[in-house]
Each structure stands twice: as C-alpha cells, then as structure tokens.
Amino acid sequence: MGFAKDFVWGAATSAYQVEGAVNEGGKGKHIWDIYVKEPGHAYGGHTGDMACDHYHRFKEDVALMKEMGLKAYRFSIDWSRVLPAGTGRVNEEGIKFYSDLVDCLIESGIEPYVTLFHWELPYEIYKRGGWLNPDIAEWFGEYAKIIAERLSDRVSHYFTLNEPQCFIGLSYLTKEHAPGLKLPLNDTFLMSHNALRAHGRAVQMLREYGKQPLTIGYAPTATMCYPETDKSEDIEAARQMLFSVPQDINNWTWNVAWWSDPVIFGHYPEEFVKSYESYLPEITDEDMKIISEPIDVYGQNIYNGKCVRMGEGGKPEIVERYEGFPKTAIDWPVTPECLHWGPRFLYERYKKPIYITENGMSCHDMVSSDGKVHDPNRIDFMAGYIKELRKAAEEVDLRGYFHWSLMDNFEWAKGYSERFGLIYVNFKTQERIMKDSAYWYADMIKTNGGNL
Ligand code: FCB
C-alpha cells in the first residue's frame, strides 16, 4: 500500500526564523525583535535580524524547493509585517512580500501552506496585554480576515496557531523564549484560553472571507507516546499516557488534550479541569462555541516520544531510556516509533485527517573538503521516521509530512548553533548548499517512499 499517490511531501519554516529584513518593508516590531536585543537571551547574542535573508532571496529558495521536488511549502506570516501595530493599518509592502512568495511557489508547482501564527506576537499587542487581554481573539480574527482577503484566491491551506504549548509555556512559565517571563499559573491558563479563542475566531474569519473553500487546521505539539510491545495492554498504556494530565504543574502546557480536546470536542478534558480548577478563568458556552469552530484537518508537530508500558497495578509507566540512547545534536532522543503511534492515537481520538506539520533533527553539519554537506545521520533519521510514518499512513487518514526545516535557520534561544535544515546556510555569506539529505529526500519524494 504505502503512501497515497497524492500524499503531500513538504518542508517548513517560520517567518522570524528565516526572513531577516526586520527593519524593512514597513514591518512593525514583535516580541522576538525586542527580546533578542537584550543580553543573555539568545545563544551568543544571536538575533533574527538577517536570519536566512529569505525576504530577499525567496526566489532562490523556491528554486531549491523545486529542485528537491517538494510538493508543498509550509511558511508562516509575520503578523507584525502585515499589521505593524497588530490591528488597524495594513502594511501593503508586507502583504506584497507574501503575495509574491505565493505566486512564485505556484509558478513552481509548489502548494503554499500558510501558518498564521508562529510566535511573532506584535509588540503593540503585547503592550496591550497580549494573550492576557481577551480582545486578542478579535485582533487575531481581524488579521486572519486580511490574510483571507489578500491571499485566499491562491492559498487554500491554512494552519492557525503553531505550538501553543511553546508560545505560552516556554514564554510565560519557563522563561526560555520571548518575552521571557514567569507568570502566575492562573495567568497562563487565561492566556491558553484566549489563545484558543483566537484560534477559533481565526477559523471563523478565514471561512467567512475565504475566496474558495479552504482547508483549515491547527498545529500543536507535545511528546508522543508509543508502546513498548504490541501487546494490547501496552498500547492502551501509551494511549492513556498520551492524553493524560502532566505531572509537573510548572510545565503544565506540555500536553495534548488541554489544547486539542476543546478545539475538536468543544470542552476541556474533565481530568484536567479537576486538576486545574483553582487556576481557571471564567469559561463561557460562547467561548467554547468559538474555540470549537469546526476545522478540516489536524496538524501535529512531532519530534520524539516516550516509550510506555502497562505497569503492575494497571498503571501506565515510562520505560526508562538506556544509557547512551541515540540523540540528536540538540539532545532530543531519536524515537522513530512516534511517527507511527502519534498519528494513530491522534486519529483515533480526534477523527480528523492528519498532517505532520513538523519533524526533523539538528546535526553538527559542516561543509566538507569536497564542498558538499554530508549528513548521513539526518538521512538515517528521516528513513527511520518515515518508515514508521508509512505504517500510520496505512492505518489512518494521513495527508502529508513537512520536514523541519527547509533550511538551517535562527533556532530561537539556540540562535544559529543548531542546524535543522535540508539546505545548509552559510550565515556569513548566505550561500546555500543542498545537503545529502536534501538529495535523499528528493529521491524519496520522486518514488513516494520507494527508497525507504
Ligand atoms: C519547533 C518549532 C520550530 C523549530 C523546531 C525545531 O518546536 O515550531 O519553530 O524551532 O521546533
């Protein structure tokens, strides 16, 4: 069986991580623009000021995508490039950049997949309370309306939010990401509720102002769970753990059900509500109606998973990793099984067609004396993960896979010290080199998994 003929093979990036041109084209500021200028915030004082200069070099980048045979490109729009103050005046130059990128992709036979929010919170919105201000749902809706009006004649695929787990958790609990705050728990629950309301409002606006029928999804993340064996009790243990309440309240955002149950089912998961009751804001029926505005597809960013078995006494338990367990350069474990069991469990619960909106690894890539970039680890990682994904594709409605990332880029707090790309970027000269993995992926796409 393998992958369906029309399976979508793509690669992903996000605006701040690749665009550069932060002071050009009438762009406003967002929280990362400000945050990286303060000492100690990103590795080595790095910033996204230049990043991959994709803003000026997108044509060259699209040509490389074409060479790779990518069917789709998932990129994000910087809210502050389109609406410098987050609301109100539209920056036509910003719109033009995205519109030109879309035209270039379509001319090259590559389908654009737009993410509305991949962490570029306009600074003006932040000053008005950001995710704490309930009006943010309307502001985000206004932004979604503009995108629908300007791009949806040509773009039919949208994801609303990328990884709310991170843009709330890493930003307002663990202080790892902009704006680097530790807020009281009840504030973070209010933020999560407002973020979900913003998601729902954006879905409504995209639908209302879309110029053609749109496919709308959402792109959360979390660590997946996979069973130690194929025994039904281990499978059940992994399933239970995947949707369970996290142990550590100070890292509570790192879970699946809080973020996805309300979007799909229209209510927060009962177990969570019981555990978090004292922190929760007022939640109205009207809010839940907005949050659960129907979506068409379910996106999930998946990088790794925990191995789980049914312990004695019928309680799921984590199987500890052995010493020397394989890991990537960024120290994330290599667990290909997560691309089989993750989509399978998510599909069983949410019953929506699934896209893997991100998956990939960072390696210590460098240019060899032959001028090429040899990354056998990445090829092996991809082959292993995509083989597992193929199992899922044979079991559930799986529509596509976006590799993170198209090219090396500004990896948030890690700056340029982590390389996730299929394309190597020399950040001194902006030269691009397709890594061995890019050629391997091209072959994989051409044969639809035939080289696995
Ligand atoms: C994900 C983010 C993406 C990138 C990868 C490595 O959490 O969505 O921007 O940082 O991790």
PDB file of all heavy atoms in Angstrom, residues 224 302 337-348 354 356 389 392 396 398:
ATOM      1  N   MET A 224       5.049  12.562  21.954  1.00  0.00           N
ATOM      2  CA  MET A 224       4.135  11.452  21.708  1.00  0.00           C
ATOM      3  C   MET A 224       4.454  10.291  22.658  1.00  0.00           C
ATOM      4  O   MET A 224       5.461  10.317  23.372  1.00  0.00           O
ATOM      5  CB  MET A 224       4.260  10.978  20.257  1.00  0.00           C
ATOM      6  CG  MET A 224       3.811  12.004  19.249  1.00  0.00           C
ATOM      7  SD  MET A 224       2.031  12.382  19.339  1.00  0.00           S
ATOM      8  CE  MET A 224       2.045  14.006  20.046  1.00  0.00           C
ATOM      9  N   ILE A 302       5.729  16.684  15.446  1.00  0.00           N
ATOM     10  CA  ILE A 302       6.181  15.522  16.216  1.00  0.00           C
ATOM     11  C   ILE A 302       7.686  15.342  16.043  1.00  0.00           C
ATOM     12  O   ILE A 302       8.173  15.151  14.918  1.00  0.00           O
ATOM     13  CB  ILE A 302       5.463  14.230  15.758  1.00  0.00           C
ATOM     14  CG1 ILE A 302       3.941  14.362  15.951  1.00  0.00           C
ATOM     15  CG2 ILE A 302       5.998  13.006  16.521  1.00  0.00           C
ATOM     16  CD1 ILE A 302       3.149  13.112  15.545  1.00  0.00           C
ATOM     17  N   GLU A 337       9.378   5.503  16.317  1.00  0.00           N
ATOM     18  CA  GLU A 337       8.037   4.945  16.565  1.00  0.00           C
ATOM     19  C   GLU A 337       6.980   6.017  16.774  1.00  0.00           C
ATOM     20  O   GLU A 337       5.789   5.792  16.572  1.00  0.00           O
ATOM     21  CB  GLU A 337       8.037   4.042  17.806  1.00  0.00           C
ATOM     22  CG  GLU A 337       8.985   2.861  17.754  1.00  0.00           C
ATOM     23  CD  GLU A 337      10.395   3.176  18.273  1.00  0.00           C
ATOM     24  OE1 GLU A 337      10.796   4.364  18.251  1.00  0.00           O
ATOM     25  OE2 GLU A 337      11.089   2.236  18.691  1.00  0.00           O
ATOM     26  N   CYS A 338       7.427   7.216  17.220  1.00  0.00           N
ATOM     27  CA  CYS A 338       6.442   8.277  17.488  1.00  0.00           C
ATOM     28  C   CYS A 338       5.684   8.688  16.233  1.00  0.00           C
ATOM     29  O   CYS A 338       4.560   9.183  16.330  1.00  0.00           O
ATOM     30  CB  CYS A 338       7.110   9.482  18.139  1.00  0.00           C
ATOM     31  SG  CYS A 338       8.318  10.298  17.075  1.00  0.00           S
ATOM     32  N   LEU A 339       6.276   8.461  15.055  1.00  0.00           N
ATOM     33  CA  LEU A 339       5.552   8.845  13.833  1.00  0.00           C
ATOM     34  C   LEU A 339       4.564   7.769  13.386  1.00  0.00           C
ATOM     35  O   LEU A 339       3.780   7.983  12.471  1.00  0.00           O
ATOM     36  CB  LEU A 339       6.521   9.142  12.683  1.00  0.00           C
ATOM     37  CG  LEU A 339       7.092  10.553  12.609  1.00  0.00           C
ATOM     38  CD1 LEU A 339       7.701  10.824  11.242  1.00  0.00           C
ATOM     39  CD2 LEU A 339       6.072  11.636  12.926  1.00  0.00           C
ATOM     40  N   HIS A 340       4.596   6.629  14.029  1.00  0.00           N
ATOM     41  CA  HIS A 340       3.549   5.639  13.772  1.00  0.00           C
ATOM     42  C   HIS A 340       2.427   5.812  14.795  1.00  0.00           C
ATOM     43  O   HIS A 340       1.281   6.077  14.452  1.00  0.00           O
ATOM     44  CB  HIS A 340       4.149   4.218  13.855  1.00  0.00           C
ATOM     45  CG  HIS A 340       3.123   3.126  13.835  1.00  0.00           C
ATOM     46  ND1 HIS A 340       3.305   1.917  14.461  1.00  0.00           N
ATOM     47  CD2 HIS A 340       1.884   3.071  13.292  1.00  0.00           C
ATOM     48  CE1 HIS A 340       2.235   1.152  14.285  1.00  0.00           C
ATOM     49  NE2 HIS A 340       1.363   1.834  13.580  1.00  0.00           N
ATOM     50  N   TRP A 341       2.810   5.755  16.080  1.00  0.00           N
ATOM     51  CA  TRP A 341       1.788   5.738  17.119  1.00  0.00           C
ATOM     52  C   TRP A 341       1.159   7.100  17.367  1.00  0.00           C
ATOM     53  O   TRP A 341      -0.024   7.189  17.723  1.00  0.00           O
ATOM     54  CB  TRP A 341       2.361   5.148  18.410  1.00  0.00           C
ATOM     55  CG  TRP A 341       2.683   3.699  18.218  1.00  0.00           C
ATOM     56  CD1 TRP A 341       3.884   3.160  17.907  1.00  0.00           C
ATOM     57  CD2 TRP A 341       1.748   2.610  18.244  1.00  0.00           C
ATOM     58  NE1 TRP A 341       3.774   1.794  17.758  1.00  0.00           N
ATOM     59  CE2 TRP A 341       2.473   1.435  17.959  1.00  0.00           C
ATOM     60  CE3 TRP A 341       0.370   2.509  18.475  1.00  0.00           C
ATOM     61  CZ2 TRP A 341       1.862   0.176  17.905  1.00  0.00           C
ATOM     62  CZ3 TRP A 341      -0.233   1.265  18.425  1.00  0.00           C
ATOM     63  CH2 TRP A 341       0.513   0.109  18.147  1.00  0.00           C
ATOM     64  N   GLY A 342       1.935   8.170  17.172  1.00  0.00           N
ATOM     65  CA  GLY A 342       1.384   9.509  17.393  1.00  0.00           C
ATOM     66  C   GLY A 342       0.163   9.755  16.515  1.00  0.00           C
ATOM     67  O   GLY A 342      -0.956   9.938  17.013  1.00  0.00           O
ATOM     68  N   PRO A 343       0.349   9.726  15.177  1.00  0.00           N
ATOM     69  CA  PRO A 343      -0.806   9.953  14.305  1.00  0.00           C
ATOM     70  C   PRO A 343      -1.934   8.956  14.550  1.00  0.00           C
ATOM     71  O   PRO A 343      -3.112   9.298  14.469  1.00  0.00           O
ATOM     72  CB  PRO A 343      -0.249   9.760  12.894  1.00  0.00           C
ATOM     73  CG  PRO A 343       1.222   9.762  13.006  1.00  0.00           C
ATOM     74  CD  PRO A 343       1.602   9.573  14.436  1.00  0.00           C
ATOM     75  N   ARG A 344      -1.567   7.712  14.889  1.00  0.00           N
ATOM     76  CA  ARG A 344      -2.616   6.716  15.082  1.00  0.00           C
ATOM     77  C   ARG A 344      -3.500   7.054  16.278  1.00  0.00           C
ATOM     78  O   ARG A 344      -4.726   7.051  16.198  1.00  0.00           O
ATOM     79  CB  ARG A 344      -1.956   5.345  15.272  1.00  0.00           C
ATOM     80  CG  ARG A 344      -2.988   4.281  15.480  1.00  0.00           C
ATOM     81  CD  ARG A 344      -2.412   2.930  15.287  1.00  0.00           C
ATOM     82  NE  ARG A 344      -3.129   1.997  16.142  1.00  0.00           N
ATOM     83  CZ  ARG A 344      -2.939   0.703  16.116  1.00  0.00           C
ATOM     84  NH1 ARG A 344      -2.041   0.183  15.302  1.00  0.00           N
ATOM     85  NH2 ARG A 344      -3.631  -0.088  16.903  1.00  0.00           N
ATOM     86  N   PHE A 345      -2.865   7.371  17.408  1.00  0.00           N
ATOM     87  CA  PHE A 345      -3.659   7.719  18.598  1.00  0.00           C
ATOM     88  C   PHE A 345      -4.443   9.018  18.386  1.00  0.00           C
ATOM     89  O   PHE A 345      -5.582   9.154  18.835  1.00  0.00           O
ATOM     90  CB  PHE A 345      -2.746   7.881  19.825  1.00  0.00           C
ATOM     91  CG  PHE A 345      -2.155   6.589  20.321  1.00  0.00           C
ATOM     92  CD1 PHE A 345      -0.861   6.558  20.856  1.00  0.00           C
ATOM     93  CD2 PHE A 345      -2.865   5.393  20.295  1.00  0.00           C
ATOM     94  CE1 PHE A 345      -0.297   5.379  21.341  1.00  0.00           C
ATOM     95  CE2 PHE A 345      -2.321   4.202  20.764  1.00  0.00           C
ATOM     96  CZ  PHE A 345      -1.031   4.198  21.296  1.00  0.00           C
ATOM     97  N   LEU A 346      -3.806   9.973  17.712  1.00  0.00           N
ATOM     98  CA  LEU A 346      -4.490  11.264  17.495  1.00  0.00           C
ATOM     99  C   LEU A 346      -5.696  11.088  16.579  1.00  0.00           C
ATOM    100  O   LEU A 346      -6.746  11.691  16.779  1.00  0.00           O
ATOM    101  CB  LEU A 346      -3.512  12.279  16.885  1.00  0.00           C
ATOM    102  CG  LEU A 346      -2.405  12.723  17.846  1.00  0.00           C
ATOM    103  CD1 LEU A 346      -1.283  13.424  17.087  1.00  0.00           C
ATOM    104  CD2 LEU A 346      -2.962  13.644  18.926  1.00  0.00           C
ATOM    105  N   TYR A 347      -5.539  10.231  15.586  1.00  0.00           N
ATOM    106  CA  TYR A 347      -6.650  10.000  14.662  1.00  0.00           C
ATOM    107  C   TYR A 347      -7.800   9.273  15.363  1.00  0.00           C
ATOM    108  O   TYR A 347      -8.968   9.622  15.188  1.00  0.00           O
ATOM    109  CB  TYR A 347      -6.172   9.199  13.449  1.00  0.00           C
ATOM    110  CG  TYR A 347      -7.258   9.038  12.422  1.00  0.00           C
ATOM    111  CD1 TYR A 347      -7.559  10.086  11.553  1.00  0.00           C
ATOM    112  CD2 TYR A 347      -8.000   7.868  12.335  1.00  0.00           C
ATOM    113  CE1 TYR A 347      -8.571   9.966  10.621  1.00  0.00           C
ATOM    114  CE2 TYR A 347      -9.020   7.742  11.399  1.00  0.00           C
ATOM    115  CZ  TYR A 347      -9.301   8.789  10.553  1.00  0.00           C
ATOM    116  OH  TYR A 347     -10.308   8.663   9.632  1.00  0.00           O
ATOM    117  N   GLU A 348      -7.429   8.281  16.172  1.00  0.00           N
ATOM    118  CA  GLU A 348      -8.476   7.549  16.902  1.00  0.00           C
ATOM    119  C   GLU A 348      -9.315   8.490  17.749  1.00  0.00           C
ATOM    120  O   GLU A 348     -10.519   8.371  17.841  1.00  0.00           O
ATOM    121  CB  GLU A 348      -7.820   6.577  17.896  1.00  0.00           C
ATOM    122  CG  GLU A 348      -7.389   5.273  17.327  1.00  0.00           C
ATOM    123  CD  GLU A 348      -6.619   4.467  18.377  1.00  0.00           C
ATOM    124  OE1 GLU A 348      -6.551   4.852  19.577  1.00  0.00           O
ATOM    125  OE2 GLU A 348      -6.068   3.450  17.975  1.00  0.00           O
ATOM    126  N   ILE A 354      -4.909  13.876   9.172  1.00  0.00           N
ATOM    127  CA  ILE A 354      -3.732  14.372   9.890  1.00  0.00           C
ATOM    128  C   ILE A 354      -2.611  14.808   8.947  1.00  0.00           C
ATOM    129  O   ILE A 354      -2.358  14.161   7.926  1.00  0.00           O
ATOM    130  CB  ILE A 354      -3.222  13.276  10.851  1.00  0.00           C
ATOM    131  CG1 ILE A 354      -4.288  13.065  11.934  1.00  0.00           C
ATOM    132  CG2 ILE A 354      -1.860  13.605  11.451  1.00  0.00           C
ATOM    133  CD1 ILE A 354      -3.862  12.258  13.104  1.00  0.00           C
ATOM    134  N   ILE A 356       1.536  15.801   9.469  1.00  0.00           N
ATOM    135  CA  ILE A 356       2.695  16.036  10.336  1.00  0.00           C
ATOM    136  C   ILE A 356       3.232  17.384   9.883  1.00  0.00           C
ATOM    137  O   ILE A 356       3.808  17.506   8.792  1.00  0.00           O
ATOM    138  CB  ILE A 356       3.775  14.931  10.167  1.00  0.00           C
ATOM    139  CG1 ILE A 356       3.169  13.544  10.398  1.00  0.00           C
ATOM    140  CG2 ILE A 356       4.959  15.188  11.101  1.00  0.00           C
ATOM    141  CD1 ILE A 356       2.494  13.335  11.735  1.00  0.00           C
ATOM    142  N   LEU A 389       6.170   6.266   9.770  1.00  0.00           N
ATOM    143  CA  LEU A 389       5.040   7.066   9.309  1.00  0.00           C
ATOM    144  C   LEU A 389       4.216   6.289   8.282  1.00  0.00           C
ATOM    145  O   LEU A 389       2.994   6.389   8.239  1.00  0.00           O
ATOM    146  CB  LEU A 389       5.567   8.366   8.680  1.00  0.00           C
ATOM    147  CG  LEU A 389       4.519   9.378   8.233  1.00  0.00           C
ATOM    148  CD1 LEU A 389       3.830   9.997   9.438  1.00  0.00           C
ATOM    149  CD2 LEU A 389       5.163  10.490   7.394  1.00  0.00           C
ATOM    150  N   ALA A 392       1.586   4.321   9.805  1.00  0.00           N
ATOM    151  CA  ALA A 392       0.418   5.135  10.162  1.00  0.00           C
ATOM    152  C   ALA A 392      -0.407   5.434   8.918  1.00  0.00           C
ATOM    153  O   ALA A 392      -1.642   5.394   8.952  1.00  0.00           O
ATOM    154  CB  ALA A 392       0.865   6.425  10.830  1.00  0.00           C
ATOM    155  N   VAL A 396      -4.417   5.074   9.108  1.00  0.00           N
ATOM    156  CA  VAL A 396      -5.314   6.212   9.361  1.00  0.00           C
ATOM    157  C   VAL A 396      -5.253   7.200   8.198  1.00  0.00           C
ATOM    158  O   VAL A 396      -4.448   7.040   7.287  1.00  0.00           O
ATOM    159  CB  VAL A 396      -4.936   6.948  10.685  1.00  0.00           C
ATOM    160  CG1 VAL A 396      -4.967   5.987  11.854  1.00  0.00           C
ATOM    161  CG2 VAL A 396      -3.582   7.642  10.584  1.00  0.00           C
ATOM    162  N   LEU A 398      -3.901   9.975   6.755  1.00  0.00           N
ATOM    163  CA  LEU A 398      -2.727  10.828   6.903  1.00  0.00           C
ATOM    164  C   LEU A 398      -2.492  11.524   5.568  1.00  0.00           C
ATOM    165  O   LEU A 398      -2.397  10.866   4.540  1.00  0.00           O
ATOM    166  CB  LEU A 398      -1.544   9.924   7.252  1.00  0.00           C
ATOM    167  CG  LEU A 398      -0.271  10.577   7.705  1.00  0.00           C
ATOM    168  CD1 LEU A 398      -0.447  11.185   9.096  1.00  0.00           C
ATOM    169  CD2 LEU A 398       0.838   9.532   7.771  1.00  0.00           C
TER     170      LEU A 398
END
